[in-house]
Amino acid sequence: MITSTSNPRIKALARLKQRRHRDAEGRFPIEGARAVIRAVEAGWPLVEALFAPDLASGDAVVARAALEGTGVGVIELSDEAFRKIAYRQHPDGVLAIGETRPLGIDALQLPERPLLLVVEAIEKPGNLGAMLRTADGAGADAVIAVDTATDPFNPNVVRASQGALFEVPLAVTPAAAAISHLEDRGVSILAAGPSGGAAPWEVDLTGPVALVVGNEHAGLSATWAGLPSISIPMAGKADSLNAASAAAVLLYEAVRQRS
């Protein structure tokens, strides 16, 4: 068991909280029993795992067993040492180190009639994670993040996605490249805006379609101008929903139509 917070291995793991170290090492932390179990179930490549017996919840014990079943080495840490590497305020005692992977759009394998969520310039990791979770729940075939400042392997993305990061195909690409890729494959692109577009239930969403949502401050960029638009009607004084909520409304309307 590693007990010292000054241990070189603990210091190296703690540095993965910073994007520059994640990028340099090609590794990222996966914290929490649910996320770890989903990473294992998805067959995500894992390097090692850390376990704190004094902090471990029942779910964390289950996650440890799942990790050991894959042959991934599990290192035990003291409460103090684990908190040094943990990202969450109330850690549950299990954390795995996963390998990052390329997220090029050409690697996406899409069905004949895909339902896609495209998100532009999302700044908050929690929003991107929530959108991945919603896409997973709605059965979307992929999420395409364009011109994003958010690292998809940020611990807050992992946490907010509830492990959906490991299940939902994700691509990161410039907006122009995404439009070209989708149009070449016959996918209809619908750009969501605060006003001026048809309500989502007035549009046929049963075919191959990509629903595009921008960030909460600026909306979509001019790159999407000229494409068909949709708008979620707002009955109150607020002129729009937050980005993650808008994505949920649009995706589940598509699910309703496809059902």
Side-chain angles (χ1 to χ4, degrees), residues 147-201:
D147 300 336
T148 182
T150 298
D151 173 19
F153 300 110
N154 182 298
N156 271 334
V157 174
V158 178
R159 177 172 61 178
S161 79
Q162 293 288 294
L165 173 67
F166 310 117
E167 303 283 357
V168 180
L170 173 65
V172 177
T173 190
I179 293 172
S180 176
H181 184 90
L182 295 171
E183 289 181 337
D184 287 348
R185 286 155 181 78
V187 177
S188 298
I189 303 172
L190 295 174
S195 62
W201 42 88

Side-chain angles (χ1 to χ4, degrees), residues 36 40 46 48-49 62-72 74 94-96:
V36 168
V40 170
L46 303 175
E48 63 181 341
V62 173
R64 175 174 182 162
L67 288 161
E68 291 176 339
T70 67
V72 174
V74 179
V94 65
L95 183 152

Side-chain angles (χ1 to χ4, degrees), residues 38 115 117 127-140 143 160-162 164 168 243-252 255:
R38 292 197 71 177
L115 171 60
L117 175 64
N127 265 349
L128 179 57
M131 290 173 169
L132 284 164
R133 183 179 180 182
T134 298
D136 181 45
V143 172
S161 79
Q162 293 288 294
V168 180
S245 296
V249 170
L250 298 176
L251 283 173
Y252 275 94
V255 170

Side-chain angles (χ1 to χ4, degrees), residues 20-204:
R20 63 191 179 94
H21 290 291
R22 295 194 297 271
D23 288 346
E25 297 184 29
R27 300 179 178 187
F28 69 107
I30 303 167
E31 186 178 351
R34 181 176 297 183
V36 168
I37 290 171
R38 292 197 71 177
V40 170
E41 291 175 344
W44 194 275
L46 303 175
V47 179
E48 63 181 341
L50 299 309
F51 184 79
D54 291 341
L55 291 174
S57 65
D59 288 341
V61 173
V62 173
R64 175 174 182 162
L67 288 161
E68 291 176 339
T70 67
V72 174
V74 179
I75 302 168
E76 289 196 351
L77 305 182
S78 66
D79 178 332
E80 187 178 14
F82 191 91
R83 291 183 185 279
K84 176 77 172 182
I85 65 171
Y87 199 86
R88 305 194 317 185
Q89 186 175 2
H90 302 291
D92 65 2
V94 65
L95 183 152
I97 304 299
E99 295 181 2
T100 61
R101 60 173 54 168
L103 298 174
I105 194 169
D106 290 331
L108 290 180
Q109 299 292 321
L110 301 179
E112 183 178 346
R113 191 170 58 100
L115 171 60
L116 307 172
L117 175 64
V118 181
V119 297
E120 182 183 46
I122 300 302
E123 299 173 344
K124 297 179 181 178
N127 265 349
L128 179 57
M131 290 173 169
L132 284 164
R133 183 179 180 182
T134 298
D136 181 45
D141 295 293
V143 172
I144 301 172
V146 301
D147 300 336
T148 182
T150 298
D151 173 19
F153 300 110
N154 182 298
N156 271 334
V157 174
V158 178
R159 177 172 61 178
S161 79
Q162 293 288 294
L165 173 67
F166 310 117
E167 303 283 357
V168 180
L170 173 65
V172 177
T173 190
I179 293 172
S180 176
H181 184 90
L182 295 171
E183 289 181 337
D184 287 348
R185 286 155 181 78
V187 177
S188 298
I189 303 172
L190 295 174
S195 62
W201 42 88
E202 296 173 343
V203 181
D204 184 1

Side-chain angles (χ1 to χ4, degrees), residues 216-238:
E216 296 177 12
H217 300 293
L220 291 174
S221 69
T223 307
W224 308 93
L227 291 168
S229 63
I230 52 176
S231 299
I232 299 171
M234 302 293 293
K237 293 185 178 180

